Amino acid sequence: MSDHRYYVTTNETGAARALDLLSAVFEDEGYPVATMEVDEDKRLWEVSIYVAGDPDPAFKDRVRDCLGPDFAGATLEIEQFGDVDWIAKSLEGLKPVRAGRFLVHGAHDREAVRSNDLAIELEAGQAFGTGHHGTTAGCLEMIERVMRASPGGPCGLDPVLDLGTGSGVLAIAAAMLGPVNVLATDIDPVATKVAIANVRHNRATKQVKCVTAPGFHSTAFTSAGPFGLIIANILARPLMRMAPDIKRHLAPGGSVILSGILESQRWQVLAAFNCQGMRHEKTLWRNGWVTIHLT
């Protein structure tokens, strides 16, 4: 097996266009799509779609067809990662990240923890969410704001749902802010396994339960809810589709924190949740991404 990525090199405008084209087709299938500036002086950007397993020519053709005539002159390249744990490798040099009072760090950076920090220790693993991405950092900051401002304190939002938990960092953060029960779910059993390990490592097992749940039809949601706070750091289109289910599992007067949303997608997401009778409270902006609080 050899995880890999397909990518094209373009300018910033082209990167934004390619991101929209690829996300519209592959986002719902769970393939991560990302942009990255690779040469500031030459103004070069790469747009990548990451795929597990060995390369498939048919899949490459789908990517090329998705990019369409806008990128007819661009070369669609491939990079294979072999047996290297490329997620772990990409995180080796990352520094601790601060978001509000939270500090997300690896074991090698324990000396960075200050006396008043809410420190979450994670190691690179096969799950999204280390605090370095704008969506995760935005969620951490928003969770602290919402739980601290709750009229009943954090307990007034009990129980909490972390939908699409990834590394489990947001579930751990919620548990650190008060004696709340947290259900952390993911559709990926590998992510659930990673989250369980991180929850245990951060001594939050009494509060956080990690479950693999493929959808809202799972009994895990009905047995643990309704929820005073639902956190969903996923992607814009799935969030819009899930708006009715999120509202249905939300306790009266509850709060929702949404992320995984590009700045350009903000109004579409707000419209989907406004249709469910939800009210926008605040938006945080970080590195081209937004985190939204609704009640």
Side-chain angles (χ1 to χ4, degrees), residues 15 17 229 238 243:
R17 175 61 177 158
L229 173 62

Side-chain angles (χ1 to χ4, degrees), residues 11-182:
N11 56 26
E12 185 175 2
T13 302
R17 175 61 177 158
L19 180 67
D20 286 342
L21 291 170
L22 293 173
S23 296
V25 174
F26 294 103
E27 191 175 81
D28 290 347
E29 298 179 32
Y31 293 102
V33 181
T35 61
M36 178 175 64
E37 187 176 24
V38 293
D39 192 321
E40 184 176 0
D41 293 335
K42 296 180 180 179
R43 300 181 180 179
L44 294 179
W45 288 65
E46 285 180 358
V47 184
S48 305
I49 178 167
Y50 293 86
V51 185
D54 295 323
D56 178 2
F59 190 90
K60 185 176 182 179
D61 289 341
R62 285 187 65 200
V63 175
R64 187 181 289 109
D65 291 343
C66 178
L67 291 170
D70 289 358
F71 294 87
T75 302
L76 181 60
E77 300 183 74
I78 183 170
E79 179 184 6
Q80 293 182 247
F81 303 110
D83 294 328
V84 176
D85 184 346
W86 61 272
I87 299 178
K89 188 173 181 63
S90 70
L91 297 178
E92 284 174 354
L94 291 181
K95 297 179 180 179
V97 169
R98 293 190 179 277
R101 281 189 61 205
F102 290 108
L103 178 73
V104 182
H105 66 95
H108 58 286
D109 280 314
R110 288 175 184 165
E111 70 280 0
V113 179
R114 301 170 186 167
S115 59
N116 291 325
D117 285 341
L118 296 174
I120 302 175
E121 185 173 299
L122 301 179
E123 292 305 311
Q126 294 176 299
F128 175 82
T130 62
H132 295 85
H133 195 275
T135 60
T136 309
C139 279
L140 287 167
E141 186 175 340
M142 189 71 87
I143 288 169
E144 183 180 3
R145 288 180 182 225
V146 171
M147 293 187 75
R148 297 240 185 251
S150 171
C155 292
L157 298 173
D158 187 45
V160 175
L161 170 63
D162 178 16
L163 187 66
T165 193
S167 67
V169 62
L170 302 181
I172 295 165
M176 283 184 166
L177 288 170
V180 294
N181 297 296
V182 185

Side-chain angles (χ1 to χ4, degrees), residues 257-269:
I257 296 173
L258 306 175
S259 199
I261 306 162
L262 291 167
E263 291 177 356
S264 60
Q265 299 168 323
R266 176 174 177 265
W267 288 112
Q268 294 170 280
V269 174

